[in-house]
Amino acid sequence: MNLYPSIEYASPAEIRVLQEQKLSELLRYLQDNSAFYQRLFSQNGIDIENIRTLEDLQYIPLTSKSDLQQFNHDFFCVPNHKIVDYSTTSGTLGDPVTFGLSDSDLERLAYNEAISFACAGIKEGDLVQMMTTVDKRFMAGLAYFLGLRKMGAGVIRMGPGIPELQWDSILRYKPKWLITVPSFLLKMIEYAENHGIDYKNSSVYGAVCIGESLREQDFSDSALSRKIAEKWNIKLFSTYASTEMSTAFAECELQQGGHQHPELIITEILDENEKPVSQGGTGELVITTLGVEALPLLRFKTGDLVKAHYEPCGCGRTTMRLGPVVGRKQHMIKYRGTTLYPPALNDILNGFDGITVYQIVIRTNDIGTDEIIVKISTEQDCEELLSEVKDRFRAKLRVSPRIEIFPADELTALVYNPKSRKPIHFLDLRL
Ligand SMILES: [Zn+2]
């Protein structure tokens, strides 16, 4: 397969022509097959023949996560016997949202991952160790496997956790790449140091990272990224994706944001009034999937606040790049007159070597406002560390949340809960 599709190097005008053609196909497909969108079009008097340009999208109401949850079945465009894989994503109301994937959706997903990995620099013949969940109805793990297979790379499916087994596999099979949550690399380093493993001279060249941010908004390294690099000189690449998007935004070797695949997804970035932000502004990412058969989405609100970058990239690609997620809209914290998002808090905590594990808890206090509790574990002198952490919070965010020290094993069990696919660094207990 061609891992470097020509559309990603095409002019903005050519990209637009392709997207508008695919949008028309999608609208006809939804009109014919989606109970949810048939209803949405008729209730809002939308004639899909009038929606021709990307700008015309604004005449169609947005789709929210609660629509997906409430009317989950109505989003399915194919009968059940066409579904090859069921994946789920957490909903806003408790029950998970179910995604079905048809055979052609799995093929699309494989294509998406193959070109995304190629963007990060993985090549045919490379060996990759997958340190993420492959089962538990998790779409991403399956997508990685399919994508690597499609591009002709080899895969070692280790699943998450257990540094001992991860190292055994690295030393045995010598993978060039890892796919992992970046903070887990710190656990890998710690294990290697404690067990005399010469990790600095291992076969690992790079890691494709999910779930946690490696960059600041100006694409400089985040505290987490610096902390890993100080110990272990491997290349770290960010990817951003979600089950709903069924599409990834992957960094290229220049690491200037995640490249969009214009043949797979249309993006809009909207302000609080659901109008496009001015170029370079931060807003909510709204997506329209292209080429999805079972559960296509039109103008779906991801809840993620991001900034887009439109200048052509040094790698030669002309596609839009997404900066690191500023935060999830629903996780916005109003704290003593300041608006905060968890990634900014994570970044501060990741900057402390003395903090072995942490969790941020938000709850509603007696007077109905948000309260932040930062739970940390440390092997250092607590008093000294506490005052340093408080100072850093004040300096960077102008607020100082309550900090509580916890025994390491107790907090580790809360953060690395086996029932969760990702470490739980943020817990929202607000009413
Ligand atoms: Zn690039």
Side-chain angles (χ1 to χ4, degrees):
M1 72 167 287
N2 176 15
L3 294 172
Y4 311 95
S6 57
I7 192 68
E8 311 207 335
Y9 301 85
S11 69
E14 288 170 288
I15 290 176
R16 167 182 284 267
V17 168
L18 177 85
Q19 290 208 309
E20 291 180 346
Q21 178 208 324
K22 288 197 176 258
L23 174 63
S24 294
E25 287 167 17
L26 170 70
L27 292 169
R28 279 194 294 273
Y29 182 77
L30 293 174
Q31 178 88 289
D32 291 344
N33 299 289
S34 167
F36 179 84
Y37 286 109
Q38 283 164 357
R39 203 162 58 229
L40 181 122
F41 294 152
S42 78
Q43 283 175 356
N44 292 279
I46 292 164
D47 176 357
I48 57 163
E49 296 306 323
N50 292 333
I51 311 292
R52 298 198 172 155
T53 65
L54 298 179
E55 288 73 19
D56 292 341
L57 275 172
Q58 62 178 304
Y59 301 115
I60 302 173
L62 297 168
T63 301
S64 68
K65 197 150 186 165
S66 63
D67 291 328
L68 252 181
Q69 193 145 29
Q70 251 183 297
F71 309 107
N72 204 171
H73 188 72
D74 292 349
F75 280 88
F76 278 72
C77 293
V78 297
N80 284 350
H81 71 266
K82 288 267 197 183
I83 302 293
V84 180
D85 180 74
Y86 283 95
S87 292
T88 54
T89 177
S90 56
T92 46
L93 310 167
D95 269 345
V97 172
T98 300
F99 273 77
L101 291 102
S102 68
D103 189 59
S104 111
D105 289 336
L106 289 179
E107 194 54 38
R108 178 188 169 283
L109 209 53
Y111 168 82
N112 160 67
E113 289 301 336
I115 60 175
S116 298
F117 287 138
C119 189
I122 300 183
K123 295 196 162 58
E124 189 181 346
D126 284 355
L127 185 58
V128 184
Q129 181 152 319
M130 275 180 57
M131 298 158 66
T132 56
T133 304
V134 193
D135 50 7
K136 299 193 170 67
R137 304 192 308 225
F138 189 33
M139 188 191 282
L142 177 67
Y144 303 148
F145 177 79
L146 294 173
L148 291 165
R149 175 176 183 243
K150 189 169 183 66
M151 74 189 295
V155 190
I156 312 161
R157 285 175 297 118
M158 287 304 294
I162 324 178
E164 182 183 357
L165 288 183
Q166 303 288 356
W167 277 118
D168 173 80
S169 179
I170 291 171
L171 299 173
R172 207 178 279 275
Y173 305 113
K174 304 195 169 29
K176 185 175 172 189
W177 297 89
L178 307 176
I179 302 177
T180 184
V181 174
S183 61
F184 186 66
L185 292 171
L186 295 170
K187 298 238 169 298
M188 293 284 290
I189 294 168
E190 190 189 343
Y191 184 90
E193 285 179 338
N194 291 339
H195 293 81
I197 294 170
D198 181 14
Y199 65 97
K200 293 189 181 184
N201 292 305
S202 76
S203 59
V204 178
Y205 162 83
V208 174
C209 297
I210 56 164
E212 294 160 335
S213 182
L214 297 173
R215 316 272 170 242
E216 304 280 354
Q217 289 302 318
D218 64 0
F219 302 125
S220 61
D221 288 343
S222 69
L224 175 62
S225 192
R226 285 198 304 273
K227 205 167 167 179
I228 297 164
E230 267 167 32
K231 295 262 187 179
W232 198 9
N233 183 27
I234 58 173
K235 299 247 183 214
L236 302 174
F237 296 92
S238 265
T239 61
Y240 163 67
S242 70
T243 304
E244 293 90 343
M245 299 197 288
S246 300
T247 309
F249 293 78
E251 280 184 343
C252 66
E253 71 269 27
L254 294 166
Q255 307 184 322
Q256 300 288 304
H259 278 283
Q260 179 185 6
H261 301 307
E263 68 277 44
L264 298 178
I265 196 163
I266 293 171
T267 56
E268 299 170 78
I269 298 187
L270 305 184
D271 67 17
E272 284 177 4
N273 303 314
E274 302 185 348
K275 298 278 173 247
V277 297
S278 53
Q279 217 178 66
T282 298
E284 181 175 4
L285 179 68
V286 171
I287 58 101
T288 295
T289 56
L290 298 174
V292 171
E293 185 176 44
L295 236 100
L297 293 175
L298 176 62
R299 302 201 83 205
F300 176 75
K301 296 165 72 169
T302 64
D304 289 335
L305 297 171
V306 292
K307 193 168 146 179
H309 299 262
Y310 298 95
E311 318 81 58
C313 182
C315 71
R317 291 180 181 82
T318 47
T319 47
M320 183 274 280
R321 289 163 288 123
L322 280 185
V325 175
V326 175
R328 285 195 64 75
K329 212 172 163 186
Q330 70 190 87
H331 290 166
M332 184 174 79
I333 309 162
K334 290 275 191 193
Y335 188 69
R336 295 183 187 160
T338 307
T339 300
L340 300 170
Y341 291 97
L345 305 175
N346 293 340
D347 206 50
I348 290 178
L349 295 164
N350 286 332
F352 285 93
D353 284 336
I355 299 177
T356 47
V357 57
Y358 68 84
Q359 186 177 58
I360 298 159
V361 182
I362 310 295
R363 60 181 186 217
T364 311
N365 64 17
D366 301 343
I367 54 167
T369 60
D370 292 349
E371 185 180 35
I372 307 174
I373 301 123
V374 177
K375 298 180 178 177
I376 61 173
S377 296
T378 179
E379 289 157 3
Q380 260 175 249
D381 174 0
C382 295
E383 288 309 312
E384 196 183 322
L385 181 71
L386 268 182
S387 83
E388 279 178 40
V389 174
K390 284 185 173 167
D391 286 349
R392 191 82 60 91
F393 268 106
R394 273 191 217 101
K396 283 228 166 183
L397 302 175
R398 296 189 302 276
V399 293
S400 183
R402 198 164 102 207
I403 299 168
E404 292 175 0
I405 308 269
F406 271 72
D409 49 350
E410 198 180 307
L411 193 53
T412 302
L414 291 176
V415 173
Y416 296 95
N417 184 329
K419 283 186 184 163
S420 169
R421 298 155 175 168
K422 294 177 197 161
I424 307 169
H425 287 298
F426 178 74
L427 195 59
D428 196 342
L429 301 176
R430 287 178 288 194
L431 303 171

